[in-house]
Amino acid sequence: MTVIGMLGSCKHPDMMIQVYSYAAVAKMEGAEFFYFTEDHVKAEERIIEGYVYEDGQWKVQSCPFPGTVILADPHLAVSQRVMKELRKCAVLLGEACYDYFYLHQKIKAAEQYAHFLLPCFEIDTINQLTDLLFRYVKVQVILPLSENKPCFTIERQAHLYTLISEGRSETMTISSLKKRMQDHLHHYPVYVQPLSKGWKSNQYTVRTQKSATGQWLIRSISALNACETNHTITSIKPLENEAYDITRYLEHFSLRCSEHIESLEVDRLLDQLEFILIIDSNGRLWIQHIHFHLEYTLSFDQMLDSIRERLRYAMYLETSANA
Protein backbone atom coordinates (compact mmCIF):
# COMPACT_ATOMS: atom_id res chain seq x y z
CA MET A 1 0.00 0.00 0.00
CA THR A 2 1.21 3.48 -0.86
CA VAL A 3 2.30 5.53 2.15
CA ILE A 4 1.98 9.30 1.78
CA GLY A 5 3.06 11.87 4.35
CA MET A 6 2.28 15.56 4.56
CA LEU A 7 4.93 17.83 6.05
CA GLY A 8 3.65 21.01 7.65
CA SER A 9 4.52 23.63 10.25
CA CYS A 10 1.39 23.46 12.44
CA LYS A 11 1.86 21.33 15.55
CA HIS A 12 -1.52 19.63 15.14
CA PRO A 13 -3.38 18.78 11.89
CA ASP A 14 -6.62 20.24 13.28
CA MET A 15 -5.07 23.64 12.62
CA MET A 16 -5.06 22.99 8.85
CA ILE A 17 -8.34 22.24 7.05
CA GLN A 18 -6.66 20.78 3.97
CA VAL A 19 -4.97 18.02 6.01
CA TYR A 20 -8.33 16.45 6.88
CA SER A 21 -9.32 16.60 3.19
CA TYR A 22 -6.14 14.77 2.23
CA ALA A 23 -6.71 12.15 4.92
CA ALA A 24 -10.32 11.55 3.85
CA VAL A 25 -9.53 11.31 0.15
CA ALA A 26 -6.49 9.08 0.77
CA LYS A 27 -8.66 6.62 2.68
CA MET A 28 -11.11 6.48 -0.24
CA GLU A 29 -8.23 5.94 -2.68
CA GLY A 30 -6.72 3.12 -0.63
CA ALA A 31 -3.55 4.91 0.47
CA GLU A 32 -2.10 5.37 3.95
CA PHE A 33 -1.76 9.02 4.94
CA PHE A 34 -0.27 10.80 7.92
CA TYR A 35 0.65 14.36 8.89
CA PHE A 36 3.92 15.39 10.56
CA THR A 37 6.28 18.26 11.28
CA GLU A 38 10.06 18.18 11.15
CA ASP A 39 10.15 17.67 14.95
CA HIS A 40 8.41 14.32 14.44
CA VAL A 41 11.17 12.92 12.21
CA LYS A 42 13.49 10.38 13.88
CA ALA A 43 16.10 9.93 11.17
CA GLU A 44 18.27 7.45 13.07
CA GLU A 45 15.35 5.11 13.70
CA ARG A 46 13.84 5.71 10.22
CA ILE A 47 10.42 6.43 11.69
CA ILE A 48 8.15 9.45 11.95
CA GLU A 49 5.80 10.06 14.86
CA GLY A 50 2.94 11.23 12.68
CA TYR A 51 -0.77 11.93 13.04
CA VAL A 52 -3.10 9.35 11.48
CA TYR A 53 -6.86 9.98 11.18
CA GLU A 54 -8.81 7.04 12.59
CA ASP A 55 -12.31 6.70 14.04
CA GLY A 56 -13.02 10.40 13.70
CA GLN A 57 -9.91 11.65 15.47
CA TRP A 58 -6.20 12.21 14.97
CA LYS A 59 -3.94 9.66 16.66
CA VAL A 60 -0.16 9.73 17.00
CA GLN A 61 1.47 6.65 15.49
CA SER A 62 4.97 5.53 14.56
CA CYS A 63 5.00 5.60 10.77
CA PRO A 64 7.65 4.42 8.30
CA PHE A 65 9.33 6.93 6.03
CA PRO A 66 6.77 7.49 3.25
CA GLY A 67 7.35 7.04 -0.47
CA THR A 68 5.92 10.50 -1.14
CA VAL A 69 5.97 13.66 0.98
CA ILE A 70 3.59 16.52 0.16
CA LEU A 71 4.53 19.94 1.49
CA ALA A 72 1.50 21.57 3.14
CA ASP A 73 2.96 24.98 2.36
CA PRO A 74 5.14 25.43 -0.77
CA HIS A 75 7.24 27.99 1.11
CA LEU A 76 7.61 25.82 4.22
CA ALA A 77 10.86 26.45 6.10
CA VAL A 78 12.39 23.08 6.97
CA SER A 79 15.93 22.31 8.10
CA GLN A 80 18.28 21.04 5.41
CA ARG A 81 19.07 18.00 7.58
CA VAL A 82 15.45 16.84 7.63
CA MET A 83 14.95 17.55 3.91
CA LYS A 84 18.10 15.58 3.09
CA GLU A 85 16.86 12.57 5.05
CA LEU A 86 13.42 12.69 3.41
CA ARG A 87 14.87 12.99 -0.08
CA LYS A 88 16.81 9.75 0.43
CA CYS A 89 13.63 7.70 0.32
CA ALA A 90 10.75 9.96 -0.68
CA VAL A 91 9.55 11.98 -3.63
CA LEU A 92 8.72 15.57 -2.63
CA LEU A 93 5.65 17.23 -4.14
CA GLY A 94 4.70 20.88 -3.79
CA GLU A 95 8.10 22.54 -3.50
CA ALA A 96 8.04 26.19 -4.54
CA CYS A 97 10.96 28.21 -5.84
CA TYR A 98 12.17 31.33 -4.05
CA ASP A 99 13.36 32.91 -7.31
CA TYR A 100 10.25 34.47 -8.83
CA PHE A 101 11.58 34.18 -12.37
CA TYR A 102 13.26 30.76 -12.15
CA LEU A 103 10.96 29.19 -14.75
CA HIS A 104 10.99 32.41 -16.79
CA GLN A 105 14.76 32.08 -17.14
CA LYS A 106 14.57 28.35 -17.89
CA ILE A 107 12.02 28.87 -20.67
CA LYS A 108 13.99 31.76 -22.12
CA ALA A 109 17.18 29.69 -22.25
CA ALA A 110 15.38 26.78 -23.96
CA GLU A 111 14.07 29.19 -26.66
CA GLN A 112 11.10 27.11 -27.90
CA TYR A 113 8.54 29.10 -25.86
CA ALA A 114 10.71 32.16 -25.21
CA HIS A 115 8.76 34.37 -27.62
CA PHE A 116 5.65 33.93 -25.43
CA LEU A 117 7.34 35.43 -22.34
CA LEU A 118 6.18 38.87 -21.28
CA PRO A 119 9.28 41.13 -21.26
CA CYS A 120 10.94 41.32 -17.87
CA PHE A 121 13.62 43.75 -16.75
CA GLU A 122 15.91 43.50 -13.74
CA ILE A 123 16.68 46.95 -12.34
CA ASP A 124 18.82 48.27 -9.50
CA THR A 125 18.44 52.05 -9.89
CA ILE A 126 15.48 54.42 -9.76
CA ASN A 127 16.48 55.90 -13.13
CA GLN A 128 15.96 52.52 -14.76
CA LEU A 129 12.44 52.39 -13.28
CA THR A 130 11.51 55.89 -14.47
CA ASP A 131 12.85 55.08 -17.94
CA LEU A 132 10.60 52.02 -18.10
CA LEU A 133 7.62 54.06 -16.90
CA PHE A 134 8.31 56.61 -19.62
CA ARG A 135 8.33 53.84 -22.24
CA TYR A 136 5.42 51.71 -20.98
CA VAL A 137 3.38 54.07 -18.71
CA LYS A 138 2.26 51.19 -16.49
CA VAL A 139 4.46 48.45 -14.98
CA GLN A 140 4.30 45.68 -12.44
CA VAL A 141 7.05 45.73 -9.82
CA ILE A 142 8.10 42.41 -8.31
CA LEU A 143 10.32 42.01 -5.28
CA PRO A 144 12.07 38.62 -5.34
CA LEU A 145 12.05 38.22 -1.54
CA SER A 146 8.39 39.06 -0.93
CA GLU A 147 6.97 35.51 -0.79
CA ASN A 148 7.32 35.27 -4.58
CA LYS A 149 4.21 37.32 -5.28
CA PRO A 150 3.77 40.45 -7.41
CA CYS A 151 3.89 43.34 -5.01
CA PHE A 152 2.46 46.39 -6.73
CA THR A 153 1.91 48.27 -9.97
CA ILE A 154 2.97 51.79 -10.86
CA GLU A 155 1.28 53.94 -13.49
CA ARG A 156 2.60 57.26 -14.81
CA GLN A 157 0.03 60.02 -15.19
CA ALA A 158 1.65 63.21 -16.54
CA HIS A 159 4.02 64.30 -13.76
CA LEU A 160 2.47 62.10 -11.06
CA TYR A 161 2.68 58.38 -10.34
CA THR A 162 -0.02 56.10 -8.98
CA LEU A 163 1.15 53.14 -6.91
CA ILE A 164 -1.43 50.35 -6.56
CA SER A 165 -0.96 47.61 -3.97
CA GLU A 166 -3.52 45.08 -2.64
CA GLY A 167 -6.45 47.10 -4.01
CA ARG A 168 -5.26 50.41 -2.52
CA SER A 169 -3.91 53.25 -4.67
CA GLU A 170 -1.66 56.15 -3.75
CA THR A 171 -0.68 59.06 -6.00
CA MET A 172 2.74 60.59 -5.49
CA THR A 173 5.40 62.78 -7.04
CA ILE A 174 8.62 61.46 -8.53
CA SER A 175 10.55 62.39 -5.38
CA SER A 176 8.11 60.42 -3.21
CA LEU A 177 8.33 57.47 -5.56
CA LYS A 178 12.13 57.55 -5.36
CA LYS A 179 11.99 57.49 -1.56
CA ARG A 180 9.52 54.59 -1.62
CA MET A 181 11.62 52.52 -4.01
CA GLN A 182 15.04 53.31 -2.59
CA ASP A 183 14.87 50.75 0.22
CA HIS A 184 13.87 47.99 -2.18
CA LEU A 185 16.60 48.84 -4.67
CA HIS A 186 19.20 49.17 -1.94
CA HIS A 187 18.76 45.60 -0.68
CA TYR A 188 18.27 43.54 -3.84
CA PRO A 189 17.46 43.78 -7.57
CA VAL A 190 13.86 44.44 -8.53
CA TYR A 191 12.02 42.91 -11.48
CA VAL A 192 9.73 45.01 -13.66
CA GLN A 193 7.20 43.87 -16.27
CA PRO A 194 5.31 46.25 -18.60
CA LEU A 195 1.52 46.20 -18.38
CA SER A 196 -1.28 47.57 -20.53
CA LYS A 197 -4.63 48.98 -19.45
CA GLY A 198 -6.33 46.83 -22.08
CA TRP A 199 -5.06 43.63 -20.46
CA LYS A 200 -7.32 43.92 -17.43
CA SER A 201 -10.12 41.95 -19.09
CA ASN A 202 -7.82 39.64 -21.06
CA GLN A 203 -5.80 38.10 -18.25
CA TYR A 204 -6.32 34.44 -17.38
CA THR A 205 -5.15 31.86 -14.90
CA VAL A 206 -4.80 28.27 -16.13
CA ARG A 207 -4.01 25.46 -13.72
CA THR A 208 -2.48 22.21 -14.91
CA GLN A 209 -1.83 19.10 -12.84
CA LYS A 210 -0.35 15.63 -13.23
CA SER A 211 -2.94 12.87 -13.51
CA ALA A 212 -3.08 9.32 -12.17
CA THR A 213 -1.29 8.18 -15.35
CA GLY A 214 1.45 10.78 -15.20
CA GLN A 215 -0.05 12.95 -17.94
CA TRP A 216 -0.79 16.67 -17.66
CA LEU A 217 -4.45 17.69 -17.41
CA ILE A 218 -6.31 20.98 -17.06
CA ARG A 219 -7.54 21.65 -13.53
CA SER A 220 -9.27 24.97 -14.25
CA ILE A 221 -9.33 28.01 -16.52
CA SER A 222 -10.56 31.36 -15.20
CA ALA A 223 -10.50 35.01 -16.07
CA LEU A 224 -8.17 36.87 -13.74
CA ASN A 225 -8.81 40.46 -12.75
CA ALA A 226 -5.89 42.83 -12.90
CA CYS A 227 -3.12 42.25 -10.33
CA GLU A 228 -4.04 45.40 -8.39
CA THR A 229 -7.42 43.88 -7.43
CA ASN A 230 -5.80 41.26 -5.22
CA HIS A 231 -6.11 38.41 -7.73
CA THR A 232 -9.88 37.96 -7.61
CA ILE A 233 -10.94 35.02 -9.76
CA THR A 234 -14.08 35.07 -11.91
CA SER A 235 -15.29 32.56 -14.51
CA ILE A 236 -14.95 33.19 -18.22
CA LYS A 237 -18.41 34.31 -19.35
CA PRO A 238 -19.94 31.57 -21.52
CA LEU A 239 -22.04 34.13 -23.42
CA GLU A 240 -18.98 35.70 -25.02
CA ASN A 241 -18.74 34.58 -28.65
CA GLU A 242 -15.01 33.96 -28.38
CA ALA A 243 -15.12 32.19 -24.99
CA TYR A 244 -15.06 28.67 -26.45
CA ASP A 245 -12.18 29.41 -28.82
CA ILE A 246 -10.21 31.19 -26.09
CA THR A 247 -10.72 28.30 -23.67
CA ARG A 248 -9.55 25.69 -26.19
CA TYR A 249 -6.55 27.86 -27.10
CA LEU A 250 -5.54 28.30 -23.46
CA GLU A 251 -6.01 24.59 -22.76
CA HIS A 252 -3.86 23.51 -25.69
CA PHE A 253 -1.12 26.04 -24.96
CA SER A 254 -0.93 25.29 -21.22
CA LEU A 255 -0.78 21.52 -21.67
CA ARG A 256 1.96 21.75 -24.31
CA CYS A 257 3.88 24.29 -22.25
CA SER A 258 3.60 22.10 -19.13
CA GLU A 259 5.12 19.21 -21.07
CA HIS A 260 7.88 21.50 -22.31
CA ILE A 261 8.69 22.76 -18.80
CA GLU A 262 8.83 19.20 -17.49
CA SER A 263 11.42 18.39 -20.15
CA LEU A 264 13.72 21.16 -18.92
CA GLU A 265 16.33 20.63 -16.22
CA VAL A 266 14.19 21.78 -13.31
CA ASP A 267 15.56 21.04 -9.84
CA ARG A 268 12.32 19.62 -8.41
CA LEU A 269 9.46 17.31 -9.37
CA LEU A 270 6.54 19.21 -10.86
CA ASP A 271 2.98 17.99 -10.43
CA GLN A 272 1.09 21.29 -10.47
CA LEU A 273 1.60 24.47 -12.48
CA GLU A 274 -0.36 27.69 -12.61
CA PHE A 275 -0.02 29.94 -15.64
CA ILE A 276 -0.87 33.64 -15.56
CA LEU A 277 -1.53 34.40 -19.23
CA ILE A 278 -2.44 37.54 -21.16
CA ILE A 279 -4.07 37.85 -24.57
CA ASP A 280 -3.38 41.33 -25.95
CA SER A 281 -5.52 43.42 -28.32
CA ASN A 282 -3.81 41.79 -31.32
CA GLY A 283 -4.75 38.30 -30.11
CA ARG A 284 -1.19 37.46 -29.13
CA LEU A 285 -0.68 35.29 -26.05
CA TRP A 286 1.88 36.22 -23.39
CA ILE A 287 3.15 34.32 -20.35
CA GLN A 288 3.19 36.77 -17.46
CA HIS A 289 4.22 34.24 -14.82
CA ILE A 290 4.18 30.56 -13.91
CA HIS A 291 3.76 29.32 -10.34
CA PHE A 292 5.10 25.96 -9.17
CA HIS A 293 1.83 25.27 -7.40
CA LEU A 294 -1.81 26.32 -7.36
CA GLU A 295 -1.42 29.83 -5.99
CA TYR A 296 -4.98 31.12 -5.95
CA THR A 297 -8.02 29.90 -4.07
CA LEU A 298 -9.87 26.92 -5.54
CA SER A 299 -13.54 26.18 -5.06
CA PHE A 300 -14.31 23.31 -2.67
CA ASP A 301 -15.06 20.88 -5.52
CA GLN A 302 -11.91 21.92 -7.38
CA MET A 303 -9.87 21.50 -4.22
CA LEU A 304 -11.12 17.94 -3.68
CA ASP A 305 -10.48 17.07 -7.33
CA SER A 306 -6.99 18.52 -7.06
CA ILE A 307 -6.25 16.54 -3.88
CA ARG A 308 -7.61 13.32 -5.39
CA GLU A 309 -5.49 13.69 -8.52
CA ARG A 310 -2.36 14.56 -6.53
CA LEU A 311 -2.77 11.46 -4.34
CA ARG A 312 -3.39 9.29 -7.39
CA TYR A 313 -0.26 10.72 -8.99
CA ALA A 314 1.72 9.89 -5.83
CA MET A 315 0.41 6.31 -6.04
CA TYR A 316 1.33 6.21 -9.72
CA LEU A 317 4.91 7.31 -8.92
CA GLU A 318 5.32 4.56 -6.33
CA THR A 319 3.87 1.92 -8.63
CA SER A 320 6.15 3.03 -11.47
CA ALA A 321 9.20 3.01 -9.17
CA ASN A 322 8.46 -0.57 -8.05
CA ALA A 323 7.67 -1.87 -11.55
Side-chain angles (χ1 to χ4, degrees), residues 17-238:
I17 297 176
Q18 66 166 325
V19 182
Y20 170 76
S21 300
Y22 269 94
V25 175
K27 192 174 290 291
M28 289 188 291
E29 295 296 324
E32 292 184 5
F33 176 87
F34 66 90
Y35 173 84
F36 68 103
T37 69
E38 65 175 309
D39 294 334
H40 297 143
V41 179
K42 297 183 178 180
E44 296 78 11
E45 302 173 39
R46 309 299 293 171
I47 62 170
I48 298 174
E49 297 294 337
Y51 285 93
V52 177
Y53 195 76
E54 289 184 353
D55 302 323
Q57 59 183 332
W58 291 100
K59 299 178 181 179
V60 177
Q61 290 186 10
S62 294
C63 305
F65 270 42
T68 303
V69 172
I70 299 172
L71 300 187
D73 180 354
H75 306 293
L76 184 67
V78 182
S79 71
Q80 289 300 314
R81 181 187 62 82
V82 171
M83 293 298 282
K84 183 178 179 180
E85 290 297 326
L86 292 174
R87 283 194 175 96
K88 288 180 180 179
C89 60
V91 172
L92 266 61
L93 296 181
E95 282 189 279
C97 181
Y98 287 89
D99 182 347
Y100 192 85
F101 285 99
Y102 174 81
L103 284 182
H104 188 284
Q105 293 159 351
K106 285 285 187 180
I107 293 171
K108 186 175 182 179
E111 297 185 352
Q112 184 177 346
Y113 281 79
H115 61 287
F116 288 105
L117 295 171
L118 189 68
C120 175
F121 305 91
E122 183 177 326
I123 66 171
D124 53 20
T125 68
I126 190 66
N127 288 337
Q128 290 174 309
L129 176 61
T130 54
D131 287 345
L132 288 171
L133 281 166
F134 182 79
R135 289 167 57 188
Y136 297 108
V137 181
K138 186 177 182 180
V139 300
Q140 177 176 247
V141 178
I142 300 149
L143 309 183
L145 301 183
S146 62
E147 297 184 357
N148 306 326
K149 297 180 180 180
C151 293
F152 49 84
T153 61
I154 302 175
E155 184 174 355
R156 177 173 58 84
Q157 299 172 327
H159 300 295
L160 296 176
Y161 298 84
T162 300
L163 188 150
I164 308 168
S165 176
E166 297 183 347
R168 299 186 297 272
S169 63
E170 180 182 355
T171 301
M172 60 188 68
T173 62
I174 184 62
S175 60
S176 298
L177 179 62
K178 288 181 177 179
K179 290 179 181 178
R180 177 70 65 88
M181 292 298 301
Q182 204 58 51
D183 285 342
H184 300 312
L185 293 168
H186 177 71
H187 289 98
Y188 40 72
V190 170
Y191 295 105
V192 176
Q193 285 183 310
L195 295 178
S196 167
K197 293 180 179 179
W199 288 350
K200 181 172 182 178
S201 58
N202 297 310
Q203 196 174 20
Y204 304 95
T205 175
V206 183
R207 302 177 176 98
T208 62
Q209 182 175 11
K210 276 301 189 78
S211 70
T213 58
Q215 304 298 311
W216 287 99
L217 57 79
I218 296 293
R219 172 55 51 213
S220 67
I221 300 179
S222 305
L224 176 62
N225 289 347
C227 55
E228 62 264 29
T229 59
N230 204 22
H231 300 285
T232 303
I233 301 297
T234 57
S235 299
I236 297 177
K237 296 178 181 178

Side-chain angles (χ1 to χ4, degrees), residues 264-287:
L264 305 179
E265 293 182 0
V266 180
D267 61 357
R268 64 209 65 210
L269 184 65
L270 302 176
D271 76 309
Q272 295 180 338
L273 290 171
E274 185 169 76
F275 295 84
I276 308 302
L277 305 174
I278 292 170
I279 299 179
D280 66 20
S281 57
N282 296 317
R284 178 173 176 177
L285 186 146
W286 297 93
I287 299 173

